[in-house]
């Protein structure tokens, strides 16, 4: 079946503008994660949605970052008043729950803030 | 929270040689340890994993070992091939009440020289 998809694949924006990144998880997957990956760096956890429970927002770096998810479907990550240090690849992953532990990643959105 | 350290950050080997990547973790509650391979421009993909009640697991040319007492685990790739060139991430997962929290290492860029 279809994997995790993300859009857009690339986004160039001017400093100070808002951006919205979209993630379509695998159908039926209850959990959805957002990560940030700066050039040549590891995966930095941002936020985690698990079903209808309150999300774990402990990784969001500032109040300019927010994310929403409607039920167990699409999620959007919003960055307000973008800064140059926000430039990175934003990865989304979904998890279908036990007994599997595997996260399935999307291809990412490359964000460049000029 | 969990902290995962990964070494080395870069690794170059001749084709046919073995490659070893090592990770340590801090939280004794972590009980699942996946390894992901990330090729250029793509999201990470699971290649092998190990649960905390197992000491070693092998899948063809790839093996993973886990030492729970020392809190470290390693990825071993034998008979390396150019297509093994990628960035490899280890992770430590903990589970509680249906939630899965994932902490990634900082990644190892593996280059296999033909």
């Amino acid at each position: 079946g279809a994997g995790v998809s993300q859009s857009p694949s690339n986004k160039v924006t001017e400093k100070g503008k808002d951006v919205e990144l979209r993630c379509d998880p695998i159908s039926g997957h209850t959990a959805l994660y957002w990560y940030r990956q700066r050039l040549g760096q590891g995966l930095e956890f941002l936020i985690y949605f698990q079903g209808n429970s309150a999300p774990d927002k402990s990784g969001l770096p500032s109040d300019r970052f927010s994310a929403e998810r409607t039920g167990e479907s699409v999620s959007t990550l919003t960055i307000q008043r973008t800064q140059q240090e926000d430039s990175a690849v934003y990865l989304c992953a979904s998890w279908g729950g036990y007994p599997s532990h595997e996260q399935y990643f999307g291809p990412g959105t490359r964000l460049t803030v000029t | 929270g969990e902290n995962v350290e990964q070494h080395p950050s870069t690794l170059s080997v001749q084709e046919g040689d073995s490659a070893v990547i090592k990770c340590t973790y801090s939280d004794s509650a972590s009980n699942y340890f996946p390894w992901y391979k990330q090729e250029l421009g793509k999201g990470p993909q699971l290649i092998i994993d190990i649960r905390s009640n197992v000491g070693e697991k092998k899948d063809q040319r790839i093996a993973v070992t886990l030492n729970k007492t020392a809190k470290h685990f390693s990825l071993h790739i034998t008979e390396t091939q150019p297509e093994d060139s990628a960035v490899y991430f280890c992770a430590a997962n903990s589970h509680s009440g249906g939630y899965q929290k994932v902490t990634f290492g900082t990644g190892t860029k593996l280059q296999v020289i033909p």
Side-chain angles (χ1 to χ4, degrees):
Chain A
V4 178
S5 61
Q6 293 185 245
S7 61
S9 54
N10 281 284
K11 177 71 176 179
V12 180
T13 191
E14 292 181 352
K15 177 181 172 181
K17 295 286 180 68
D18 297 351
V19 294
E20 265 193 11
L21 313 180
R22 177 186 169 110
C23 173
D24 284 86
I26 293 173
S27 178
H29 278 198
T30 56
L32 186 150
Y33 303 77
W34 282 98
Y35 296 92
R36 179 170 68 181
Q37 186 176 31
R38 292 196 165 110
L39 186 63
Q41 302 297 312
L43 280 71
E44 178 185 0
F45 166 75
L46 296 177
I47 189 169
Y48 164 31
F49 294 91
Q50 176 68 60
N52 295 317
S53 301
D56 177 352
K57 303 180 181 180
S58 60
L60 294 178
S62 76
D63 59 7
R64 297 187 295 105
F65 287 72
S66 63
E68 292 186 352
R69 187 183 187 197
T70 305
E72 296 182 354
S73 61
V74 170
S75 176
T76 56
L77 176 69
T78 301
I79 309 173
Q80 295 179 309
R81 305 181 303 280
T82 51
Q83 304 293 314
Q84 287 187 330
E85 63 261 28
D86 298 335
S87 296
V89 174
Y90 290 83
L91 290 162
C92 170
S94 71
W95 171 47
Y98 303 117
S100 172
H101 297 265
E102 183 174 357
Q103 288 181 302
Y104 293 84
F105 282 85
T109 293
R110 180 175 296 280
L111 175 65
T112 303
V113 182
T114 61
Chain B
E2 176 64 277
N3 180 51
V4 178
E5 295 189 357
Q6 182 172 348
H7 300 281
S9 57
T10 60
L11 179 60
S12 291
V13 299
Q14 292 290 328
E15 181 178 358
D17 286 351
S18 295
V20 180
I21 303 170
K22 298 182 178 182
C23 289
T24 61
Y25 63 99
S26 60
D27 189 352
S28 57
S30 291
N31 56 10
Y32 171 75
F33 306 91
W35 286 88
Y36 286 84
K37 176 183 182 181
Q38 186 178 29
E39 296 176 330
L40 198 61
K42 297 183 179 180
Q45 185 171 13
L46 181 72
I47 55 171
I48 195 168
D49 55 22
I50 191 166
R51 297 173 190 258
S52 60
N53 58 350
V54 175
E56 185 173 358
K57 183 177 179 181
K58 189 173 182 180
D59 182 4
Q60 299 183 345
R61 296 186 297 107
I62 296 173
V64 59
T65 59
L66 170 65
N67 182 328
K68 278 186 60 179
T69 304
K71 294 195 180 70
H72 64 70
F73 56 113
S74 301
L75 177 71
H76 304 253
I77 306 174
T78 58
E79 300 171 24
T80 53
Q81 301 169 4
E83 53 264 36
D84 294 330
S85 296
V87 178
Y88 291 81
F89 292 97
C90 64
N93 295 19
S94 61
H95 303 86
S96 176
Y99 287 74
Q100 174 174 239
K101 189 70 181 286
V102 185
T103 305
F104 284 88
T106 49
T108 297
K109 184 175 183 180
L110 173 64
Q111 181 185 21
V112 179
I113 303 166

